[in-house]
Amino acid sequence: SQELEQSPQSLIVQEGKNLTINCTSSKTLYGLYWYKQKYGEGLIFLMMLQKGGEEKSHEKITAKLDEKKQQSSLHITASQPSHAGIYLCGADMGAGGTSYGKLTFGQGTILTVHP
Amino acid sequence: ETGVTQTPRHLVMGMTNKKSLKCEQHLGHNAMYWYKQSAKKPLELMFVYSLEERVENNSVPSRFSPECPNSSHLFLHLHTLQPEDSALYLCASSQEGFPNSPLHFGNGTRLTVT
């Protein structure tokens, strides 16, 4: 089993609809990062969450980290074709023992937005 | 030029060839990473260089050999690869000393081993 599980694996929505992607771990997360990737390209940093209960927003994307710091959700409001891509969560699975970013990633969620 | 730049974008090589992937970061970071992204698998961390010293080597076969001559440049030397090594190889950088500094990724090199 994977350390970080993302659900759903793929999602197809009509433009204008809201959607949620989840990222779940069996361990406490010491820093949770959301990235977006266009197929065959690099990852673009979206947001980082660190504290239990924390919530951050950027434009129409909101990310939350639950109180136990074992699950995060990414919510997109009024989706647009520009939101299409692969969304990945990455997390520091250790106890903060390194000073560099050693991240474990989920398998990604493929989002398709139909106009 | 800003960000993290990887060259080449695409590479096709035979199993007996030797090639190198190059990564350059213009962000003033001092930690650099190689990740491998295969189809239907999560990103796999291969190597980490922090302050130009290798600090992580995640059981990567010796046919992959990293080199970090300075904090701005990272190479991945490839030799006698196998077809299962075909993947997208991503380079990233971050600021050491700031554990919450996000990784900044390049656009990757799509490697095909024939």
Side-chain angles (χ1 to χ4, degrees):
Chain A
S1 64
Q2 297 179 38
E3 291 189 277
L4 280 181
E5 290 280 349
Q6 284 187 237
S7 62
Q9 291 189 9
S10 63
L11 192 53
I12 301 173
V13 300
Q14 203 68 31
E15 182 177 0
K17 295 295 184 183
N18 302 336
L19 63 103
T20 299
I21 298 168
N22 294 303
C23 177
T24 303
S25 171
S26 57
K27 303 176 184 178
T28 300
L29 302 172
Y30 298 88
L32 188 287
Y33 301 75
W34 283 100
Y35 286 86
K36 179 185 176 184
Q37 183 182 28
K38 296 268 184 170
Y39 179 75
E41 297 184 4
L43 280 65
I44 299 169
F45 171 70
L46 296 176
M47 278 173 278
M48 184 200 78
L49 303 165
Q50 189 181 1
K51 300 175 184 176
E54 187 175 10
E55 178 175 325
K56 287 186 177 178
S57 294
H58 176 67
E59 297 180 344
K60 294 184 178 180
I61 302 176
T62 301
K64 301 178 185 179
L65 182 62
D66 75 352
E67 290 289 343
K68 293 185 178 180
K69 296 172 65 174
Q70 289 188 287
Q71 183 171 1
S72 178
S73 60
L74 185 82
H75 184 77
I76 299 178
T77 304
S79 58
Q80 300 169 356
S82 60
H83 287 127
I86 304 168
Y87 288 82
L88 297 102
C89 62
D92 180 355
M93 307 295 289
T98 61
S99 60
Y100 50 85
K102 183 178 176 181
L103 297 186
T104 299
F105 284 88
Q107 77 276 27
T109 294
I110 303 171
L111 173 62
T112 303
V113 181
H114 287 309
Chain B
E1 190 174 356
T2 58
V4 181
T5 304
Q6 289 187 243
T7 54
R9 289 296 309 275
H10 302 272
L11 179 63
V12 179
M13 59 187 290
M15 293 168 62
T16 58
N17 291 158
K18 289 184 180 180
K19 296 286 184 182
S20 295
L21 309 185
K22 178 182 177 182
C23 176
E24 184 174 2
Q25 60 93 4
H26 306 272
L27 299 168
H29 289 162
N30 52 20
M32 297 188 78
Y33 311 75
W34 281 116
Y35 277 87
K36 176 184 178 183
Q37 188 176 37
S38 305
K40 299 183 180 180
K41 291 176 69 175
L43 269 76
E44 300 171 67
L45 178 63
M46 300 175 71
F47 301 104
V48 181
Y49 277 82
S50 179
L51 300 175
E52 300 166 35
E53 285 192 27
R54 193 190 310 179
V55 295
E56 290 279 345
N57 179 345
N58 284 352
S59 304
V60 179
S62 59
R63 57 185 182 269
F64 294 90
S65 175
E67 179 189 1
C68 186
N70 55 60
S71 60
S72 299
H73 294 86
L74 185 65
F75 296 89
L76 188 63
H77 304 298
L78 316 170
H79 65 96
T80 58
L81 294 191
Q82 304 298 311
E84 61 264 28
D85 296 323
S86 298
L88 182 68
Y89 288 85
L90 291 162
C91 172
S93 69
S94 71
Q95 186 62 21
E96 194 272 344
F98 292 87
N100 299 320
S101 168
L103 301 183
H104 292 258
F105 284 85
N107 276 331
T109 295
R110 172 69 62 185
L111 174 67
T112 303
V113 181
T114 60

